[in-house]
Amino acid sequence: MLKKAQGMDKTDFAVIPSKGIVRMTAAVHPFQGSHKSLSFEEGTTIKDMLAVAQPDAGKIKYSMVFIKGEVIPRQKWATFKPRSGELVEARAYPVPR
């Protein structure tokens, strides 16, 4: 991305890297095959991504999140920030009764 850097005149431009993109696929309903495909800026936490994918926090209570096939523990969702280029996969599971 081309942006004018501070201290440069109007004819000078520098390439200033923008944040990368993290993709997410989210199956937010346990009994439907539909899913959402979302993109987020690098630096977004899993918790914030899930809030966009499913605004009803009660419905993600029994969800699991994977990156590269590895489960990301729920305790880390508030602080875990996937890297640019990673695919975050979120899936809702039926509520145990």
Side-chain angles (χ1 to χ4, degrees):
M1 171 182 287
L2 293 177
K3 291 184 180 179
K4 184 177 160 191
Q6 191 173 17
M8 300 177 84
D9 70 30
K10 63 183 176 185
T11 60
D12 294 326
F13 287 89
V15 176
I16 300 173
S18 60
K19 290 187 175 188
I21 299 298
V22 176
R23 294 179 306 122
M24 172 186 248
T25 59
V28 295
H29 192 284
F31 300 113
Q32 295 177 356
S34 63
H35 69 278
K36 296 179 180 182
S37 295
L38 304 163
S39 296
F40 298 91
E41 279 192 357
E42 184 177 23
T44 306
T45 65
I46 288 176
K47 181 179 178 181
D48 291 338
M49 291 179 186
L50 289 172
V52 171
Q54 177 52 271
D56 184 346
K59 292 186 178 180
I60 60 171
K61 185 175 180 180
Y62 295 100
S63 296
M64 293 185 75
V65 175
F66 307 88
I67 296 177
K68 298 179 188 173
E70 297 290 324
V71 175
I72 306 301
R74 182 177 308 276
Q75 305 90 303
K76 293 185 178 184
W77 289 2
T79 58
F80 193 96
K81 298 175 183 178
R83 294 185 194 124
S84 175
E86 289 186 319
L87 173 63
V88 177
E89 299 174 275
R91 171 154 290 285
Y93 288 94
V95 176
R97 300 204 184 246

